Amino acid sequence: MARVTLDSVRKTYDDTTAMDGVSFTVDDGEVLGVLGPSGCGKTTTLRTIAGFETPSAGSVSFDDADVTHVPPENRNVGLVFQEYALFDNMTVAENVAFGLKMQGVGKAERRERVTDLLEMLGIGGFEDRDPTTLSGGQQQRVGLARALAIEPSILLLDEPMTGLDAKLKRRLQTEVGDLLSDLDVTGLYVTHDQEEAMVMCDRVAVMNDGRVEQIDTPRGIYENPANDFVAEFVSLDAPDLPFVEWA
């Protein structure tokens, strides 16, 4: 695990400002949700932590080490994308073991770690399956297993449940949220789905126009929004959320 700190990070593309002085810290073992509408800067924030984007100003640190200019392959970060990004010319086991193989981990250890992860995620016995034959939920779990296989210091999830049907999404919200808690992994969970962020994350950062409008616990944001934008964006018609006391 690692503590992640963004200090006054600014990212511009020509005349567009994607991040405008973003500062926050994700503590060891904490999962921070980054919530906001399309184009608010949340994916740029994730890509900056991963090392795919270099800030125009400000810094990124893991624990006490400045990693602002460290390349992605040297950051020990696990990534889970909304489109899963699985290799369709590899089996499930080969997908999960890919990062381990690149790290030079031996075949026996790779096999053991793959088996353990797939069992933990409820898809044991799928090692030899073609990932294109799996359901969306199963593919999502394979992507998560691949990200976790390298034992990352930080796990970054970018809209991983987009495209799943509502029933499956709700079930996976609970299951993956519990898994992240059990693993005690430091995570950043990017989503535009208010309920998803509220259910799965320890704290939530609400972004708008490249800025962080508020960071608080789900309860804190829901009950005490910092401004009208936060109040309107996190409003939920009938959420079944664990922190809401229904009359």
Side-chain angles (χ1 to χ4, degrees):
M1 293 185 297
R3 183 181 68 255
V4 180
T5 302
L6 272 64
D7 185 8
S8 303
V9 173
R10 182 177 177 85
K11 180 62 181 180
T12 58
Y13 304 94
D14 298 325
D15 296 329
T16 301
T17 300
M19 297 174 68
D20 189 5
V22 172
S23 296
F24 60 71
T25 295
V26 190
D27 291 325
D28 279 348
E30 179 183 34
V31 177
L32 178 72
V34 181
L35 176 66
S38 297
C40 72
K42 57 187 185 293
T43 294
T44 303
T45 299
L46 179 145
R47 289 177 57 83
T48 299
I49 294 172
F52 298 128
E53 303 287 353
T54 301
S56 305
S59 64
V60 180
S61 299
F62 293 174
D63 290 329
D64 296 322
D66 188 328
V67 297
T68 308
H69 300 286
V70 173
E73 61 271 20
N74 294 332
R75 294 196 182 195
N76 193 30
V77 168
L79 297 163
V80 182
F81 301 102
Q82 66 183 55
E83 62 277 358
Y84 315 125
L86 301 178
F87 303 116
D88 57 13
N89 62 334
M90 296 183 181
T91 65
V92 165
E94 289 168 340
N95 266 277
V96 176
F98 180 78
L100 296 173
K101 188 174 182 180
M102 293 300 99
Q103 291 178 341
V105 175
K107 189 174 182 179
E109 184 178 346
R110 295 200 307 266
R111 185 184 303 111
E112 181 179 359
R113 203 177 300 182
V114 167
T115 299
D116 289 346
L117 280 167
L118 295 182
E119 287 289 343
M120 181 176 64
L121 289 166
I123 48 175
F126 283 38
E127 286 85 346
D128 296 327
R129 292 278 296 274
D130 179 339
T132 62
T133 67
L134 305 182
S135 69
Q138 290 166 341
Q139 290 187 50
Q140 193 245 25
R141 295 178 195 212
V142 175
L144 183 57
R146 185 175 63 185
L148 292 172
I150 61 171
E151 299 181 343
S153 299
I154 300 151
L155 182 64
L156 305 177
L157 303 101
D158 187 12
E159 307 263 15
M161 297 190 192
T162 298
L164 300 181
D165 67 74
K167 184 177 180 180
L168 176 59
K169 180 184 287 189
R170 183 161 295 221
R171 178 162 60 84
L172 287 177
Q173 284 172 3
T174 301
E175 291 179 0
V176 175
D178 290 344
L179 175 65
L180 294 177
S181 179
D182 290 344
L183 291 171
D184 204 26
V185 66
T186 303
L188 194 85
Y189 194 103
V190 167
T191 181
H192 65 276
D193 187 308
Q194 298 92 323
E195 184 175 337
E196 202 170 295
M198 296 290 187
V199 170
M200 299 185 64
C201 301
D202 300 308
R203 288 189 300 147
V204 177
V206 181
M207 292 191 69
N208 182 36
D209 290 334
R211 298 182 299 276
V212 175
E213 299 282 354
Q214 184 176 0
I215 300 181
D216 204 341
T217 63
R219 180 192 287 272
I221 284 179
Y222 187 78
E223 295 182 347
N224 299 292
N227 53 41
D228 289 344
F229 172 83
V230 175
E232 182 176 351
F233 193 79
V234 302
S235 62
L236 298 165
D237 294 332
D240 181 19
L241 301 177
F243 56 83
V244 175
E245 297 293 334
W246 296 106

